[in-house]
Amino acid sequence: MIDARAAVLLDAGADPELTGIRIRPPVGDEVLVRIDAVGICHTDISVAARWPQRRMPMVFGHEGAGTVEAAGPSAGVAVGRRVVLTFASCGECPNCVEGRPAYCRRSTDLNLRGARDALHLGDEAITGGFFGQSSLATYALASARNTVPVDDDLDPALAAPLGCSVQTGVGTVLNTIAPQRGDTLVVYGVGAVGLSAVMGARIAGCGDIVAVDPVPERRALAAELGATATVDPTSADATAEIVELTGGGAHAAIDTTAIPDVLAGALTALRARGTLAIVGLGAPTAALPVGLIMGSGLTVRGVVEGDSEPHTFIPRLAGLVRSGELPLEKVVTRYRFDDFGDGWSAAKSGRVVKPVLVTGS
């Protein structure tokens, strides 16, 4: 067994606490990764808040970056290799075979339910395997499918968010919407995913890029990262302002908020045959203007993990970080791993965009 420290959720309604755990060695295609940096994502916060007591203790974390310490006999990943951890998939269902692993038939089981065969707290087996990694820890056990090799010179603190938030935001623009140069795009909610979408729109050569968020500091950061205009959604005429800014309506919009009224407003701000991509998790249902959708030929599309095939797309993102096209240093706030509580609190409050815990000195 390998000794590690992890942020462990012990009680419903509480925050995870740093404590010692043990991890069994990798078998089969598994990979043991020493975590050098790990992002705290809104999904960690929201799922932890509703995680059932019967499934505790539990370790979250799904934006890990680190170094391979050991590998099972069929993993095919070299010890010492720098890697980014991402979402898990089975590799066998039709969507995985067709290169669409984000829509794996076993996605819920592999990413959101966890398992009790790898992590131990004292003599007790505890739940891990969140997104196939549970990387809010100094070591994580993943599989070859969700372990993506990257170059050694990539800063781990900038590599970590590539596994989820950046992959989702940039991927939704480049892989799903695939805008034509000069197209107009609106991003609703500019947290880590939304700001990544803004950067993706700039990379794609969009014309008008409008960032919509109630927080002035986030609107300012969106402008710095490529938004050509920003809108405060609390304004009485926000939708009319967006329509004017985009010359009669946007070609596409991305919603990260999952707020029903925001979704309806986003559809109203589209031009005929426009597309709304929904990437946020929130309210399970929303009343949408069906007549408008049909009459204007609008497309409403759900997007998971930016429609990404991680072993292809994450190295592409890493190249964009190195070239300066994805200036993630403007989005990331670093915390020592020992200061996990501060980083978790910052993520819960929205005080910073992307807290990243860095292990070591």
Side-chain angles (χ1 to χ4, degrees), residues 92-116:
E92 298 174 352
C93 71
N95 282 331
C96 284
V97 171
E98 293 170 8
R100 302 292 183 186
Y103 306 99
C104 173
R105 285 184 176 176
R106 295 186 57 210
S107 181
T108 298
D109 286 336
L110 293 173
N111 291 290
L112 295 176
R113 289 189 174 150
R116 284 181 175 264

Side-chain angles (χ1 to χ4, degrees), residues 15-58:
D15 291 337
E17 301 175 10
L18 285 186
T19 189
I21 65 169
R22 294 180 300 146
I23 306 175
R24 66 161 172 77
V27 299
D29 70 343
E30 291 177 337
V31 180
L32 178 70
V33 177
R34 185 191 75 233
I35 297 299
D36 298 323
V38 54
I40 301 176
C41 181
H42 184 264
T43 301
D44 295 313
I45 304 292
S46 61
V47 175
R50 62 178 186 269
W51 194 257
Q53 186 71 45
R54 71 180 185 279
R55 300 287 291 162
M56 297 181 193
M58 171 65 182

Side-chain angles (χ1 to χ4, degrees), residues 54-289:
R54 71 180 185 279
R55 300 287 291 162
M56 297 181 193
M58 171 65 182
V59 179
F60 294 98
H62 64 285
E63 289 187 341
T67 305
V68 175
E69 287 278 310
S74 60
V77 182
V79 171
R81 191 69 197 264
R82 295 284 291 277
V83 295
V84 168
L85 301 182
T86 187
F87 63 92
S89 58
C90 74
E92 298 174 352
C93 71
N95 282 331
C96 284
V97 171
E98 293 170 8
R100 302 292 183 186
Y103 306 99
C104 173
R105 285 184 176 176
R106 295 186 57 210
S107 181
T108 298
D109 286 336
L110 293 173
N111 291 290
L112 295 176
R113 289 189 174 150
R116 284 181 175 264
D117 68 340
L119 309 184
H120 291 77
L121 181 61
D123 294 328
E124 176 187 8
I126 65 174
T127 308
F130 190 62
F131 277 71
Q133 53 183 285
S134 284
S135 53
L136 282 173
T138 53
Y139 287 87
L141 200 61
S143 73
R145 279 193 61 78
N146 68 317
T147 301
V148 181
V150 294
D151 291 341
D152 290 346
D153 62 351
L154 187 62
D155 182 345
L158 304 183
L162 302 183
C164 183
S165 55
V166 177
Q167 177 172 235
T168 298
V170 178
T172 300
V173 176
L174 300 185
N175 299 331
T176 306
I177 295 173
Q180 299 294 311
R181 183 166 292 275
D183 278 359
T184 55
L185 176 69
V186 184
V187 180
Y188 291 85
V190 285
V193 173
L195 289 170
S196 296
V198 167
M199 291 186 281
R202 179 182 47 73
I203 291 167
C206 287
D208 298 314
I209 305 168
V210 182
V212 184
D213 198 285
V215 180
E217 294 80 6
R218 295 200 175 192
R219 295 199 301 271
L221 182 54
E224 186 177 348
L225 293 174
T228 59
T230 65
V231 171
D232 181 351
T234 64
S235 165
D237 298 321
T239 298
E241 184 179 354
I242 293 167
V243 170
E244 182 177 357
L245 286 167
T246 54
H251 290 92
I254 297 172
D255 177 74
T256 73
T257 73
I259 298 172
D261 287 348
V262 175
L263 292 167
L267 287 165
T268 304
L270 291 173
R271 66 182 62 192
R273 301 182 67 244
T275 297
L276 170 62
I278 301 174
V279 304
L281 291 172
T285 61
L288 299 181

